[in-house]
Amino acid sequence: MIVLRLFISYCVLLTWLAGCSNNSDSAGVTVETTNGISGVVLDPEGVPAIGIEVTLRSSDYLLTTSLSAKTAASSVNIIDTTDSLGSYEFIVQETGSFLIQAYTDSITAVSIEVDKSDSIAINLGETKASLTGSLSGTVTYSSGDVGKLLVQVMGTDRYQILDSNVTAFSFLNMPAGWYTIRLTGLDPLRLEALSPKIEVESGKEATDIVIPVNEPLTGSISGIIWAPQTVRTGFGTNTDDFFLVSVEGTSISTVPDSLGNFNLRNVPVGTQTITARRTYSDKSITVNQNQVQVVKGGLTADINLVFKIDALIVDGIGRLDWQRTSSNVTAILESTGFFSVFTSTSPDTSGTLAEWNAWQPDFSSYDLVIVNYGVNGFRDTAAFPWPQAVRDSFELFVAGGGGTVILPSARETYGNWSAYDEIMGLTNGNADDFAGISIDSGGVVSEIPKGVGDSVFSANGSFTVSLIASAHPVTNGLSSVWLHTDDDFAAGLRGPMSGMTLLSYASDSSSTNRFPVNWVVSYNQGRVYNSTLGSIISEDDNTSMRCVGYQTMLIRGCEWAATGAVHYDIPIDFPSEISTKQNDILPVR
């Protein structure tokens, strides 16, 4: 309950005197044609008052009840300052009734409603004595601190904002009349209360006004929306494609800021369902919901609403078991709840020209493209049958900021598509065509010139993975060295390596051969994650892809490529340097 204790003091009511012209009366002025309103302001001794601010407003000004509505209500709002003779003058283009107000240091506002004439004299002394009183009081709240409050005298422009724990208010020099005090909670609780009408008149004693208010049982909810980079660019800015976080069953909602942060205030206590929606000009799509518990006066923080990353796997041809690889990658990613995975399968090598031309994956509809497509053609220009329109669309997607992941089957190079080589960074290309990299025992990387050293060769076995870029979002927090299960490892990788950052390397059982395992590439605005891990052929089981280390790197690499950040936690059973770990997301075979 809010209790408003209101004390009213008054001056003796005197007759108000104002000098008027022949066609005026003491009520004021009504302008019937375009005219001017002028006059003089006198101090209490009857001497012209110099430098006094005088305001002329339409008479509908006092009829409004909210501060925001007053400007709209007042079609006339003119301010003048009295000159050396105490004179003021207003040039009025409108017709109607007006309100004149004079302001001084000691008299906040003297108001005179004028009906007629064009000459009004304002005697500050007489007006002050006859028309003003004061309103003062205190606000108390049954549960203690009510927070910041707006205390407003309705029908006037008089208001005060009380900071938290401040309860006293006072309004001096109020013109005689009837008033209502409105209380509005600003922070942290949303509440509103009105006092009964209070009359300012001579001789009225101080009166306690009690305003009962139902105690608001509310709290706050804050959190962040994790979303792909292409989605986050619209947070709080795009009116045709925007995002809304709301409390189901209420009118409480908010738009996240540019980083995806949101704050919902004055949420009723209890279990609430928080919904994130993506709203377009013609439709609204619910993308995530989360139930939270709201406590009175408390803050329920760190609520993560995940806009799932839409990922497209492109497959159809591959030197590895691409069907099982696509199925396994889908299962791994969707197990996190962060991804919705779709597949676009091309015609096979026997496909007709019409079948290939009909295959047009829409990369722009996805946040992430996972390439699981490759022909072991080694620079054979006829070996890569993607239509030119598909290649162009893919390049535009990556260059424009789309996330890309290259799986082992896709790490081939083709003589007629150099942009794809740049997107991959390292490929299965020949030593005569590309430079390579060498990694010494301390993890220092150096370049092997083109034409020097061996081309790609592969072997199979278990090996340790050592981090180089431990601060990168994909690898940040991982064990510096961890043991991977049996998998193919590729040595002698070659490529343009433009914009490439090596994340980790592997050592075979002899520890004399070291080769790249995971790396990322910046291609214009796009982010690319590439890895040699997770190679399976038809006779293999799923051992390499059941490895917790592999799955963690794949998930984090995909999230980073799509969003530029990583929020997937490192599992507690992540492999150590001497012990590998597998889980049951995938079957053994």
Side-chain angles (χ1 to χ4, degrees), residues 2 15 36 42 124 168 194 210 232 264 288 325 350 376 446 450 457 495 501 512 550 575:
I2 288 186
T15 302
L42 306 175
L124 295 179
L194 297 176
V210 178
R232 291 208 309 271
L264 297 163
N288 192 269
T325 297
S350 62
N376 195 1
S446 58
K450 182 170 65 174
F457 66 90
T501 300
T512 59
Y550 162 76

Side-chain angles (χ1 to χ4, degrees), residues 80-341:
D80 191 21
T81 303
T82 57
D83 59 17
S84 59
L85 300 177
S87 300
Y88 65 89
E89 181 177 14
F90 301 108
I91 304 300
V92 182
Q93 301 298 326
E94 290 80 358
T95 62
S97 298
F98 300 90
L99 176 75
I100 294 178
Q101 292 178 301
Y103 293 82
T104 71
D105 291 338
S106 60
I107 303 174
T108 305
V110 172
S111 302
I112 303 172
E113 186 170 359
V114 292
D115 294 331
K116 298 180 182 180
S117 188
D118 60 354
S119 180
I120 300 296
I122 303 174
N123 188 309
L124 295 179
E126 293 174 346
T127 304
K128 177 181 179 181
S130 61
L131 295 179
T132 64
S134 61
L135 307 177
S136 62
T138 59
V139 177
T140 61
Y141 183 57
S142 60
S143 296
D145 180 19
V146 71
K148 188 172 289 188
L149 270 179
L150 171 66
V151 182
Q152 181 185 359
V153 183
M154 295 181 65
T156 77
D157 58 359
R158 306 292 301 278
Y159 70 94
Q160 294 176 8
I161 295 179
L162 305 183
D163 288 331
S164 180
N165 294 316
V166 177
T167 61
F169 65 88
S170 178
F171 297 98
L172 303 178
N173 304 305
M174 292 295 301
W178 288 88
Y179 298 99
T180 299
I181 306 295
R182 180 168 64 186
L183 307 178
T184 305
L186 301 179
D187 183 29
L189 299 178
R190 181 178 296 166
L191 55 88
E192 185 169 303
L194 297 176
S195 74
K197 284 191 175 182
I198 306 160
E199 185 180 11
V200 175
E201 62 178 351
S202 174
K204 185 175 178 66
E205 297 180 356
T207 304
D208 290 346
I209 306 297
V210 178
I211 306 178
V213 175
N214 292 328
E215 184 176 328
L217 300 177
T218 64
S220 301
I221 302 172
S222 67
I224 190 169
I225 297 175
W226 301 129
Q229 181 67 34
T230 53
V231 171
R232 291 208 309 271
T233 56
F235 280 168
T237 59
N238 193 335
T239 57
D240 295 324
D241 179 2
F242 65 95
F243 306 87
L244 194 69
V245 182
S246 60
V247 182
E248 289 296 292
T250 76
S251 61
I252 301 170
S253 64
T254 188
V255 175
D257 65 18
S258 60
L259 299 177
N261 299 297
F262 65 88
N263 194 326
L264 297 163
R265 298 165 58 185
N266 306 300
V267 180
V269 299
T271 301
Q272 301 292 347
T273 299
I274 310 303
T275 300
R277 292 183 176 88
R278 186 169 187 175
T279 301
Y280 302 87
S281 59
D282 60 345
K283 61 182 177 180
S284 179
I285 300 175
T286 298
V287 294
N288 192 269
Q289 286 188 320
N290 198 340
Q291 283 197 332
V292 299
Q293 192 68 28
V294 181
V295 298
K296 176 186 173 184
L299 174 63
T300 304
D302 298 329
I303 302 302
N304 298 333
L305 295 174
V306 179
F307 278 82
K308 288 188 178 181
I309 296 168
D310 287 338
L312 177 68
I313 296 178
V314 180
D315 61 16
I317 298 175
R319 61 182 175 83
L320 302 174
D321 188 343
W322 59 267
Q323 294 98 331
R324 189 149 49 104
T325 297
S326 292
S327 177
N328 288 349
V329 168
T330 299
I332 292 169
L333 295 181
E334 291 193 337
S335 71
T336 67
F338 280 26
F339 298 86
S340 295
V341 184

